PDB file of all heavy atoms in Angstrom:
ATOM      1  N   GLY S 354     107.826 116.374  71.906  1.00 93.00           N
ATOM      2  CA  GLY S 354     109.192 116.888  72.014  1.00 93.00           C
ATOM      3  C   GLY S 354     109.935 116.144  73.120  1.00 93.00           C
ATOM      4  O   GLY S 354     109.905 114.917  73.184  1.00 93.00           O
ATOM      5  N   PRO S 355     110.568 116.866  74.046  1.00 94.00           N
ATOM      6  CA  PRO S 355     111.273 116.196  75.142  1.00 94.00           C
ATOM      7  C   PRO S 355     110.357 115.799  76.292  1.00 94.00           C
ATOM      8  O   PRO S 355     110.803 115.151  77.252  1.00 94.00           O
ATOM      9  CB  PRO S 355     112.275 117.266  75.605  1.00 94.00           C
ATOM     10  CG  PRO S 355     111.566 118.553  75.319  1.00 94.00           C
ATOM     11  CD  PRO S 355     110.778 118.325  74.053  1.00 94.00           C
ATOM     12  N   ASN S 356     109.090 116.175  76.216  1.00 95.00           N
ATOM     13  CA  ASN S 356     108.155 115.909  77.316  1.00 95.00           C
ATOM     14  C   ASN S 356     107.465 114.565  77.127  1.00 95.00           C
ATOM     15  O   ASN S 356     106.928 114.277  76.045  1.00 95.00           O
ATOM     16  CB  ASN S 356     107.105 117.021  77.391  1.00 95.00           C
ATOM     17  CG  ASN S 356     107.713 118.386  77.606  1.00 95.00           C
ATOM     18  OD1 ASN S 356     108.462 118.582  78.555  1.00 95.00           O
ATOM     19  ND2 ASN S 356     107.410 119.322  76.717  1.00 95.00           N
ATOM     20  N   LYS S 357     107.468 113.771  78.178  1.00 96.00           N
ATOM     21  CA  LYS S 357     106.832 112.457  78.151  1.00 96.00           C
ATOM     22  C   LYS S 357     106.664 111.978  79.589  1.00 96.00           C
ATOM     23  O   LYS S 357     107.232 112.571  80.527  1.00 96.00           O
ATOM     24  CB  LYS S 357     107.684 111.466  77.356  1.00 96.00           C
ATOM     25  CG  LYS S 357     109.066 111.230  77.927  1.00 96.00           C
ATOM     26  CD  LYS S 357     109.857 110.259  77.058  1.00 96.00           C
ATOM     27  CE  LYS S 357     111.249 110.029  77.620  1.00 96.00           C
ATOM     28  NZ  LYS S 357     112.027 109.074  76.799  1.00 96.00           N
ATOM     29  N   PRO S 358     105.927 110.894  79.801  1.00 97.00           N
ATOM     30  CA  PRO S 358     105.755 110.399  81.170  1.00 97.00           C
ATOM     31  C   PRO S 358     107.089 110.018  81.810  1.00 97.00           C
ATOM     32  O   PRO S 358     107.916 109.356  81.185  1.00 97.00           O
ATOM     33  CB  PRO S 358     104.860 109.169  80.985  1.00 97.00           C
ATOM     34  CG  PRO S 358     104.108 109.436  79.725  1.00 97.00           C
ATOM     35  CD  PRO S 358     105.081 110.158  78.838  1.00 97.00           C
ATOM     36  N   ASP S 359     107.281 110.476  83.040  1.00 95.00           N
ATOM     37  CA  ASP S 359     108.487 110.108  83.784  1.00 95.00           C
ATOM     38  C   ASP S 359     108.160 109.377  85.082  1.00 95.00           C
ATOM     39  O   ASP S 359     109.053 109.012  85.840  1.00 95.00           O
ATOM     40  CB  ASP S 359     109.341 111.345  84.085  1.00 95.00           C
ATOM     41  CG  ASP S 359     108.596 112.396  84.904  1.00 95.00           C
ATOM     42  OD1 ASP S 359     107.424 112.165  85.264  1.00 95.00           O
ATOM     43  OD2 ASP S 359     109.191 113.457  85.178  1.00 95.00           O
ATOM     44  N   LEU S 360     106.860 109.148  85.322  1.00 96.00           N
ATOM     45  CA  LEU S 360     106.427 108.383  86.489  1.00 96.00           C
ATOM     46  C   LEU S 360     105.188 107.584  86.126  1.00 96.00           C
ATOM     47  O   LEU S 360     104.217 108.133  85.603  1.00 96.00           O
ATOM     48  CB  LEU S 360     106.108 109.321  87.657  1.00 96.00           C
ATOM     49  CG  LEU S 360     105.554 108.656  88.927  1.00 96.00           C
ATOM     50  CD1 LEU S 360     106.615 107.772  89.575  1.00 96.00           C
ATOM     51  CD2 LEU S 360     105.053 109.694  89.922  1.00 96.00           C
ATOM     52  N   HIS S 361     105.239 106.284  86.383  1.00 97.00           N
ATOM     53  CA  HIS S 361     104.080 105.412  86.186  1.00 97.00           C
ATOM     54  C   HIS S 361     103.609 104.930  87.550  1.00 97.00           C
ATOM     55  O   HIS S 361     104.405 104.404  88.341  1.00 97.00           O
ATOM     56  CB  HIS S 361     104.439 104.212  85.305  1.00 97.00           C
ATOM     57  CG  HIS S 361     104.854 104.584  83.918  1.00 97.00           C
ATOM     58  ND1 HIS S 361     103.958 104.711  82.885  1.00 97.00           N
ATOM     59  CD2 HIS S 361     106.073 104.870  83.397  1.00 97.00           C
ATOM     60  CE1 HIS S 361     104.607 105.053  81.771  1.00 97.00           C
ATOM     61  NE2 HIS S 361     105.887 105.162  82.070  1.00 97.00           N
ATOM     62  N   LEU S 362     102.314 105.094  87.813  1.00 97.00           N
ATOM     63  CA  LEU S 362     101.727 104.647  89.065  1.00 97.00           C
ATOM     64  C   LEU S 362     100.658 103.613  88.777  1.00 97.00           C
ATOM     65  O   LEU S 362      99.807 103.814  87.897  1.00 97.00           O
ATOM     66  CB  LEU S 362     101.107 105.830  89.818  1.00 97.00           C
ATOM     67  CG  LEU S 362     102.072 106.921  90.280  1.00 97.00           C
ATOM     68  CD1 LEU S 362     101.312 108.066  90.911  1.00 97.00           C
ATOM     69  CD2 LEU S 362     103.091 106.364  91.264  1.00 97.00           C
ATOM     70  N   THR S 363     100.703 102.516  89.518  1.00 97.00           N
ATOM     71  CA  THR S 363      99.740 101.451  89.295  1.00 97.00           C
ATOM     72  C   THR S 363      99.541 100.668  90.583  1.00 97.00           C
ATOM     73  O   THR S 363     100.095 101.019  91.632  1.00 97.00           O
ATOM     74  CB  THR S 363     100.201 100.534  88.143  1.00 97.00           C
ATOM     75  OG1 THR S 363      99.145  99.623  87.812  1.00 97.00           O
ATOM     76  CG2 THR S 363     101.455  99.764  88.524  1.00 97.00           C
ATOM     77  N   THR S 364      98.757  99.604  90.497  1.00 97.00           N
ATOM     78  CA  THR S 364      98.504  98.780  91.678  1.00 97.00           C
ATOM     79  C   THR S 364      99.691  97.859  91.941  1.00 97.00           C
ATOM     80  O   THR S 364     100.553  97.658  91.079  1.00 97.00           O
ATOM     81  CB  THR S 364      97.254  97.915  91.466  1.00 97.00           C
ATOM     82  OG1 THR S 364      97.521  96.952  90.428  1.00 97.00           O
ATOM     83  CG2 THR S 364      96.059  98.768  91.063  1.00 97.00           C
ATOM     84  N   ARG S 365      99.717  97.264  93.102  1.00 96.00           N
ATOM     85  CA  ARG S 365     100.792  96.329  93.437  1.00 96.00           C
ATOM     86  C   ARG S 365     100.749  95.103  92.529  1.00 96.00           C
ATOM     87  O   ARG S 365     101.787  94.592  92.105  1.00 96.00           O
ATOM     88  CB  ARG S 365     100.684  95.920  94.904  1.00 96.00           C
ATOM     89  CG  ARG S 365     101.026  97.052  95.866  1.00 96.00           C
ATOM     90  CD  ARG S 365     100.708  96.706  97.294  1.00 96.00           C
ATOM     91  NE  ARG S 365     101.107  97.786  98.201  1.00 96.00           N
ATOM     92  CZ  ARG S 365     100.793  97.846  99.478  1.00 96.00           C
ATOM     93  NH1 ARG S 365     100.057  96.881 100.014  1.00 96.00           N
ATOM     94  NH2 ARG S 365     101.186  98.858 100.233  1.00 96.00           N
ATOM     95  N   ASP S 366      99.539  94.619  92.224  1.00 97.00           N
ATOM     96  CA  ASP S 366      99.416  93.438  91.362  1.00 97.00           C
ATOM     97  C   ASP S 366      99.905  93.736  89.947  1.00 97.00           C
ATOM     98  O   ASP S 366     100.620  92.929  89.342  1.00 97.00           O
ATOM     99  CB  ASP S 366      97.958  92.963  91.316  1.00 97.00           C
ATOM    100  CG  ASP S 366      97.518  92.308  92.618  1.00 97.00           C
ATOM    101  OD1 ASP S 366      98.393  91.760  93.327  1.00 97.00           O
ATOM    102  OD2 ASP S 366      96.322  92.351  92.926  1.00 97.00           O
ATOM    103  N   LEU S 367      99.524  94.882  89.403  1.00 97.00           N
ATOM    104  CA  LEU S 367      99.966  95.233  88.055  1.00 97.00           C
ATOM    105  C   LEU S 367     101.457  95.553  88.028  1.00 97.00           C
ATOM    106  O   LEU S 367     102.135  95.297  87.030  1.00 97.00           O
ATOM    107  CB  LEU S 367      99.158  96.405  87.518  1.00 97.00           C
ATOM    108  CG  LEU S 367      97.734  96.061  87.059  1.00 97.00           C
ATOM    109  CD1 LEU S 367      96.913  97.322  86.813  1.00 97.00           C
ATOM    110  CD2 LEU S 367      97.768  95.196  85.800  1.00 97.00           C
ATOM    111  N   TRP S 368     101.987  96.090  89.117  1.00 95.00           N
ATOM    112  CA  TRP S 368     103.427  96.335  89.213  1.00 95.00           C
ATOM    113  C   TRP S 368     104.187  95.010  89.150  1.00 95.00           C
ATOM    114  O   TRP S 368     105.197  94.897  88.455  1.00 95.00           O
ATOM    115  CB  TRP S 368     103.747  97.083  90.506  1.00 95.00           C
ATOM    116  CG  TRP S 368     105.160  97.563  90.624  1.00 95.00           C
ATOM    117  CD1 TRP S 368     105.666  98.750  90.188  1.00 95.00           C
ATOM    118  CD2 TRP S 368     106.266  96.873  91.219  1.00 95.00           C
ATOM    119  NE1 TRP S 368     107.005  98.861  90.482  1.00 95.00           N
ATOM    120  CE2 TRP S 368     107.403  97.711  91.118  1.00 95.00           C
ATOM    121  CE3 TRP S 368     106.404  95.641  91.840  1.00 95.00           C
ATOM    122  CZ2 TRP S 368     108.659  97.353  91.607  1.00 95.00           C
ATOM    123  CZ3 TRP S 368     107.660  95.269  92.332  1.00 95.00           C
ATOM    124  CH2 TRP S 368     108.767  96.119  92.211  1.00 95.00           C
ATOM    125  N   SER S 369     103.683  94.000  89.844  1.00 95.00           N
ATOM    126  CA  SER S 369     104.309  92.672  89.804  1.00 95.00           C
ATOM    127  C   SER S 369     104.195  92.066  88.412  1.00 95.00           C
ATOM    128  O   SER S 369     105.123  91.400  87.935  1.00 95.00           O
ATOM    129  CB  SER S 369     103.657  91.752  90.841  1.00 95.00           C
ATOM    130  OG  SER S 369     103.894  92.221  92.146  1.00 95.00           O
ATOM    131  N   LYS S 370     103.043  92.262  87.762  1.00 95.00           N
ATOM    132  CA  LYS S 370     102.862  91.780  86.396  1.00 95.00           C
ATOM    133  C   LYS S 370     103.885  92.435  85.471  1.00 95.00           C
ATOM    134  O   LYS S 370     104.538  91.759  84.657  1.00 95.00           O
ATOM    135  CB  LYS S 370     101.444  92.112  85.924  1.00 95.00           C
ATOM    136  CG  LYS S 370     101.165  91.856  84.455  1.00 95.00           C
ATOM    137  CD  LYS S 370     101.143  90.373  84.133  1.00 95.00           C
ATOM    138  CE  LYS S 370     100.724  90.145  82.697  1.00 95.00           C
ATOM    139  NZ  LYS S 370     100.648  88.715  82.356  1.00 95.00           N
ATOM    140  N   PHE S 371     104.055  93.745  85.600  1.00 94.00           N
ATOM    141  CA  PHE S 371     105.036  94.466  84.796  1.00 94.00           C
ATOM    142  C   PHE S 371     106.445  93.951  85.078  1.00 94.00           C
ATOM    143  O   PHE S 371     107.244  93.761  84.156  1.00 94.00           O
ATOM    144  CB  PHE S 371     104.947  95.962  85.102  1.00 94.00           C
ATOM    145  CG  PHE S 371     106.060  96.777  84.505  1.00 94.00           C
ATOM    146  CD1 PHE S 371     106.057  97.094  83.160  1.00 94.00           C
ATOM    147  CD2 PHE S 371     107.113  97.211  85.293  1.00 94.00           C
ATOM    148  CE1 PHE S 371     107.088  97.839  82.608  1.00 94.00           C
ATOM    149  CE2 PHE S 371     108.148  97.954  84.755  1.00 94.00           C
ATOM    150  CZ  PHE S 371     108.137  98.266  83.401  1.00 94.00           C
ATOM    151  N   GLU S 372     106.745  93.721  86.337  1.00 92.00           N
ATOM    152  CA  GLU S 372     108.066  93.219  86.726  1.00 92.00           C
ATOM    153  C   GLU S 372     108.369  91.901  86.029  1.00 92.00           C
ATOM    154  O   GLU S 372     109.483  91.659  85.559  1.00 92.00           O
ATOM    155  CB  GLU S 372     108.114  93.054  88.246  1.00 92.00           C
ATOM    156  CG  GLU S 372     109.478  92.658  88.793  1.00 92.00           C
ATOM    157  CD  GLU S 372     109.449  92.495  90.295  1.00 92.00           C
ATOM    158  OE1 GLU S 372     108.375  92.128  90.842  1.00 92.00           O
ATOM    159  OE2 GLU S 372     110.483  92.736  90.934  1.00 92.00           O
ATOM    160  N   SER S 373     107.354  91.031  85.931  1.00 91.00           N
ATOM    161  CA  SER S 373     107.559  89.736  85.280  1.00 91.00           C
ATOM    162  C   SER S 373     107.739  89.874  83.772  1.00 91.00           C
ATOM    163  O   SER S 373     108.456  89.086  83.149  1.00 91.00           O
ATOM    164  CB  SER S 373     106.369  88.812  85.574  1.00 91.00           C
ATOM    165  OG  SER S 373     105.196  89.251  84.911  1.00 91.00           O
ATOM    166  N   LEU S 374     107.105  90.902  83.179  1.00 91.00           N
ATOM    167  CA  LEU S 374     107.181  91.084  81.725  1.00 91.00           C
ATOM    168  C   LEU S 374     108.570  91.522  81.266  1.00 91.00           C
ATOM    169  O   LEU S 374     108.971  91.218  80.138  1.00 91.00           O
ATOM    170  CB  LEU S 374     106.152  92.120  81.266  1.00 91.00           C
ATOM    171  CG  LEU S 374     104.675  91.718  81.341  1.00 91.00           C
ATOM    172  CD1 LEU S 374     103.793  92.892  80.949  1.00 91.00           C
ATOM    173  CD2 LEU S 374     104.391  90.516  80.448  1.00 91.00           C
ATOM    174  N   ILE S 375     109.284  92.229  82.092  1.00 87.00           N
ATOM    175  CA  ILE S 375     110.570  92.767  81.638  1.00 87.00           C
ATOM    176  C   ILE S 375     111.752  91.941  82.133  1.00 87.00           C
ATOM    177  O   ILE S 375     112.900  92.369  82.010  1.00 87.00           O
ATOM    178  CB  ILE S 375     110.739  94.242  82.061  1.00 87.00           C
ATOM    179  CG1 ILE S 375     110.647  94.383  83.576  1.00 87.00           C
ATOM    180  CG2 ILE S 375     109.697  95.111  81.387  1.00 87.00           C
ATOM    181  CD1 ILE S 375     110.951  95.798  84.034  1.00 87.00           C
ATOM    182  N   GLU S 376     111.493  90.764  82.684  1.00 81.00           N
ATOM    183  CA  GLU S 376     112.598  89.854  82.995  1.00 81.00           C
ATOM    184  C   GLU S 376     113.280  89.433  81.685  1.00 81.00           C
ATOM    185  O   GLU S 376     112.598  89.168  80.697  1.00 81.00           O
ATOM    186  CB  GLU S 376     112.071  88.603  83.706  1.00 81.00           C
ATOM    187  CG  GLU S 376     111.623  88.842  85.127  1.00 81.00           C
ATOM    188  CD  GLU S 376     112.788  88.910  86.103  1.00 81.00           C
ATOM    189  OE1 GLU S 376     113.948  88.868  85.636  1.00 81.00           O
ATOM    190  OE2 GLU S 376     112.540  89.022  87.303  1.00 81.00           O
ATOM    191  N   PRO S 377     114.597  89.281  81.621  1.00 70.00           N
ATOM    192  CA  PRO S 377     115.564  89.592  82.683  1.00 70.00           C
ATOM    193  C   PRO S 377     116.168  90.988  82.515  1.00 70.00           C
ATOM    194  O   PRO S 377     117.235  91.270  83.044  1.00 70.00           O
ATOM    195  CB  PRO S 377     116.630  88.526  82.465  1.00 70.00           C
ATOM    196  CG  PRO S 377     116.646  88.369  80.975  1.00 70.00           C
ATOM    197  CD  PRO S 377     115.238  88.597  80.484  1.00 70.00           C
ATOM    198  N   GLN S 378     115.491  91.847  81.748  1.00 68.00           N
ATOM    199  CA  GLN S 378     116.062  93.165  81.452  1.00 68.00           C
ATOM    200  C   GLN S 378     115.697  94.230  82.488  1.00 68.00           C
ATOM    201  O   GLN S 378     116.074  95.386  82.337  1.00 68.00           O
ATOM    202  CB  GLN S 378     115.594  93.662  80.083  1.00 68.00           C
ATOM    203  CG  GLN S 378     116.130  92.865  78.904  1.00 68.00           C
ATOM    204  CD  GLN S 378     115.252  91.666  78.602  1.00 68.00           C
ATOM    205  OE1 GLN S 378     114.131  91.592  79.069  1.00 68.00           O
ATOM    206  NE2 GLN S 378     115.772  90.729  77.829  1.00 68.00           N
ATOM    207  N   LYS S 379     114.960  93.838  83.510  1.00 65.00           N
ATOM    208  CA  LYS S 379     114.487  94.867  84.436  1.00 65.00           C
ATOM    209  C   LYS S 379     115.653  95.549  85.140  1.00 65.00           C
ATOM    210  O   LYS S 379     116.682  94.962  85.426  1.00 65.00           O
ATOM    211  CB  LYS S 379     113.520  94.277  85.460  1.00 65.00           C
ATOM    212  CG  LYS S 379     114.106  93.383  86.526  1.00 65.00           C
ATOM    213  CD  LYS S 379     113.034  93.076  87.556  1.00 65.00           C
ATOM    214  CE  LYS S 379     113.524  92.118  88.629  1.00 65.00           C
ATOM    215  NZ  LYS S 379     113.672  90.753  88.153  1.00 65.00           N
ATOM    216  N   ARG S 380     115.442  96.827  85.394  1.00 70.00           N
ATOM    217  CA  ARG S 380     116.455  97.636  86.057  1.00 70.00           C
ATOM    218  C   ARG S 380     115.793  98.430  87.171  1.00 70.00           C
ATOM    219  O   ARG S 380     114.919  99.252  86.931  1.00 70.00           O
ATOM    220  CB  ARG S 380     117.113  98.607  85.061  1.00 70.00           C
ATOM    221  CG  ARG S 380     118.150  99.536  85.690  1.00 70.00           C
ATOM    222  CD  ARG S 380     118.802 100.397  84.615  1.00 70.00           C
ATOM    223  NE  ARG S 380     117.857 101.272  83.956  1.00 70.00           N
ATOM    224  CZ  ARG S 380     117.503 102.476  84.433  1.00 70.00           C
ATOM    225  NH1 ARG S 380     118.004 102.910  85.572  1.00 70.00           N
ATOM    226  NH2 ARG S 380     116.654 103.237  83.769  1.00 70.00           N
ATOM    227  N   TYR S 381     116.219  98.135  88.397  1.00 68.00           N
ATOM    228  CA  TYR S 381     115.699  98.886  89.538  1.00 68.00           C
ATOM    229  C   TYR S 381     116.475 100.188  89.684  1.00 68.00           C
ATOM    230  O   TYR S 381     117.680 100.238  89.439  1.00 68.00           O
ATOM    231  CB  TYR S 381     115.828  98.075  90.833  1.00 68.00           C
ATOM    232  CG  TYR S 381     114.962  96.845  90.866  1.00 68.00           C
ATOM    233  CD1 TYR S 381     115.501  95.581  90.629  1.00 68.00           C
ATOM    234  CD2 TYR S 381     113.600  96.936  91.136  1.00 68.00           C
ATOM    235  CE1 TYR S 381     114.711  94.445  90.654  1.00 68.00           C
ATOM    236  CE2 TYR S 381     112.798  95.802  91.164  1.00 68.00           C
ATOM    237  CZ  TYR S 381     113.363  94.558  90.927  1.00 68.00           C
ATOM    238  OH  TYR S 381     112.576  93.443  90.941  1.00 68.00           O
ATOM    239  N   TYR S 382     115.775 101.227  90.104  1.00 64.00           N
ATOM    240  CA  TYR S 382     116.455 102.487  90.342  1.00 64.00           C
ATOM    241  C   TYR S 382     117.363 102.371  91.557  1.00 64.00           C
ATOM    242  O   TYR S 382     117.106 101.603  92.478  1.00 64.00           O
ATOM    243  CB  TYR S 382     115.439 103.621  90.546  1.00 64.00           C
ATOM    244  CG  TYR S 382     115.073 104.309  89.262  1.00 64.00           C
ATOM    245  CD1 TYR S 382     114.244 103.696  88.326  1.00 64.00           C
ATOM    246  CD2 TYR S 382     115.565 105.561  88.948  1.00 64.00           C
ATOM    247  CE1 TYR S 382     113.908 104.319  87.136  1.00 64.00           C
ATOM    248  CE2 TYR S 382     115.236 106.201  87.764  1.00 64.00           C
ATOM    249  CZ  TYR S 382     114.418 105.572  86.871  1.00 64.00           C
ATOM    250  OH  TYR S 382     114.095 106.185  85.681  1.00 64.00           O
ATOM    251  N   SER S 383     118.424 103.144  91.554  1.00 55.00           N
ATOM    252  CA  SER S 383     119.395 103.124  92.638  1.00 55.00           C
ATOM    253  C   SER S 383     118.734 103.424  93.979  1.00 55.00           C
ATOM    254  O   SER S 383     117.782 104.201  94.069  1.00 55.00           O
ATOM    255  CB  SER S 383     120.496 104.159  92.378  1.00 55.00           C
ATOM    256  OG  SER S 383     121.286 104.369  93.528  1.00 55.00           O
ATOM    257  N   THR S 384     119.252 102.798  95.021  1.00 64.00           N
ATOM    258  CA  THR S 384     118.751 103.066  96.366  1.00 64.00           C
ATOM    259  C   THR S 384     119.079 104.492  96.807  1.00 64.00           C
ATOM    260  O   THR S 384     118.589 104.959  97.830  1.00 64.00           O
ATOM    261  CB  THR S 384     119.347 102.075  97.381  1.00 64.00           C
ATOM    262  OG1 THR S 384     120.788 102.131  97.293  1.00 64.00           O
ATOM    263  CG2 THR S 384     118.883 100.657  97.085  1.00 64.00           C
ATOM    264  N   GLN S 385     119.895 105.180  96.006  1.00 62.00           N
ATOM    265  CA  GLN S 385     120.230 106.573  96.309  1.00 62.00           C
ATOM    266  C   GLN S 385     119.346 107.562  95.549  1.00 62.00           C
ATOM    267  O   GLN S 385     119.509 108.775  95.697  1.00 62.00           O
ATOM    268  CB  GLN S 385     121.708 106.844  95.980  1.00 62.00           C
ATOM    269  CG  GLN S 385     122.686 105.989  96.762  1.00 62.00           C
ATOM    270  CD  GLN S 385     122.498 106.149  98.263  1.00 62.00           C
ATOM    271  OE1 GLN S 385     122.462 107.268  98.773  1.00 62.00           O
ATOM    272  NE2 GLN S 385     122.364 105.033  98.958  1.00 62.00           N
ATOM    273  N   SER S 386     118.417 107.059  94.736  1.00 74.00           N
ATOM    274  CA  SER S 386     117.533 107.960  93.992  1.00 74.00           C
ATOM    275  C   SER S 386     116.575 108.650  94.956  1.00 74.00           C
ATOM    276  O   SER S 386     116.355 108.201  96.094  1.00 74.00           O
ATOM    277  CB  SER S 386     116.736 107.181  92.944  1.00 74.00           C
ATOM    278  OG  SER S 386     115.790 106.335  93.566  1.00 74.00           O
TER     279      SER S 386
END
Side-chain angles (χ1 to χ4, degrees):
N356 301 305
K357 61 181 179 179
D359 59 1
L360 176 67
H361 297 271
L362 296 176
T363 189
T364 67
R365 290 171 177 170
D366 288 333
L367 284 168
W368 188 88
S369 295
K370 171 69 174 182
F371 170 77
E372 185 181 30
S373 70
L374 290 176
I375 59 174
E376 288 281 5
Q378 292 86 15
K379 72 171 177 287
R380 178 177 63 85
Y381 294 102
Y382 270 74
S383 167
T384 55
Q385 300 303 309
S386 69

